[in-house]
Amino acid sequence: MCNLYSITTNQEAIRALFRVMNRYVGNLAPMPGVFPDYPAPVVRNAGAEREMTMMRWGMPPPPRAGGFPVTNIRNTTSPHWRGWLKPENRCLVPANSFAEYAPEPNPETKKKDVVWFALDENRPLLAFAGIWTETRADRGTKSKPIPGPHLVYGFLTTAPNAIVEPVHPKAMPVILTTPDEHDVWLRAPWDEAKALQRPLRDDALRIVACGADKEDKVAETVSK
């Protein structure tokens, strides 16, 4: 599961690529490491336009899932997720790169490396196919709970392509790279939009970093 990604592109570039008309994110600082429950920018429908707002990463879990927020959604046939697959609950999650842990520990460090994936070395902006909702549950930690309501999001996963599979054989995020794909995800009926839940083609993704760092600091550098 993808539980770490970066978003370091500035607001104006996000607004231009995703055709955002309104924004409610304040001064958006680069985020070379986005972890579960972090607030991060999301693009959603706002009537006939699009808006960018901040949400916390992690959707309400199914009743039997143990109570932890769900960052990645694979089984879109589940009754728990079906109600959030309508256009009014779909969103685009801007990102520059995402990470998975290597399957085996590094012989030198005895720890698993963090492997970062992006469209290319320059980490161009992409979007995960996301869903969002509002929850009244507390977020944050048990010692420092943050009372609701909260806007929250997660994104869809699918089978890994040939680039991700050697590192993480179970899944990869659903990645959207073109304006047409953005439009279909945000506007189309589910019977059409569900075709986007597929692996990104192999030649459109590459490994751009590998090591102990849980922040893609190169992404922050190349996005400036």
Side-chain angles (χ1 to χ4, degrees):
M1 294 191 349
C2 175
N3 281 322
L4 175 60
Y5 71 94
S6 77
I7 173 62
T8 54
T9 298
N10 63 56
Q11 283 193 58
E12 291 307 311
I14 295 173
R15 290 183 66 189
L17 180 60
F18 300 127
R19 302 206 301 268
V20 174
M21 300 303 294
N22 304 308
R23 56 180 177 175
Y24 305 99
V25 300
N27 184 21
L28 182 63
M31 302 178 69
V34 181
F35 295 88
D37 207 41
Y38 276 32
V42 168
V43 175
R44 64 178 177 177
N45 291 318
E49 298 179 343
R50 297 176 186 174
E51 67 180 13
M52 182 165 56
T53 189
M54 299 295 284
M55 300 187 187
R56 301 182 79 93
W57 186 15
M59 291 285 286
R64 299 179 183 177
F68 293 101
V70 178
T71 55
N72 300 170
I73 297 98
R74 178 76 175 267
N75 183 13
T76 52
T77 64
S78 163
H80 181 74
W81 302 117
R82 281 204 302 262
W84 291 317
L85 296 176
K86 302 182 295 293
E88 53 264 39
N89 283 98
R90 292 189 217 139
C91 61
L92 303 172
V93 182
N96 293 94
S97 59
F98 68 94
E100 300 285 3
Y101 281 100
E104 300 295 335
N106 184 314
E108 294 183 4
T109 65
K110 310 302 181 185
K111 296 181 180 180
K112 293 183 177 181
D113 286 336
V114 181
V115 183
W116 287 92
F117 300 89
L119 301 183
D120 63 41
E121 297 289 344
N122 291 321
R123 279 77 160 173
L125 193 59
L126 55 84
F128 301 133
I131 59 175
W132 72 275
T133 191
E134 181 177 283
T135 178
R136 298 194 175 277
D138 291 350
R139 299 303 287 264
T141 63
K142 288 185 177 180
S143 60
K144 295 182 179 179
I146 304 171
H150 298 287
L151 295 178
V152 296
Y153 72 96
F155 48 77
L156 270 57
T157 61
T158 186
N161 66 11
I163 307 303
V164 176
E165 186 175 21
V167 178
H168 191 71
K170 292 184 178 180
M172 68 176 292
V174 173
I175 297 173
L176 311 177
T177 60
T178 69
D180 283 347
E181 290 175 346
H182 304 158
D183 288 341
V184 169
W185 182 248
L186 289 180
R187 299 290 183 187
W190 178 243
D191 283 348
E192 181 181 352
K194 67 182 181 182
L196 294 172
Q197 191 179 14
R198 78 289 181 260
L200 190 66
R201 68 182 193 276
D202 298 341
D203 63 355
L205 196 70
R206 66 182 64 181
I207 293 173
V208 294
C210 183
D213 205 332
K214 294 182 181 180
E215 292 186 340
D216 188 6
K217 293 176 180 175
V218 176
E220 186 174 1
T221 301
V222 300
S223 297
K224 289 182 177 178

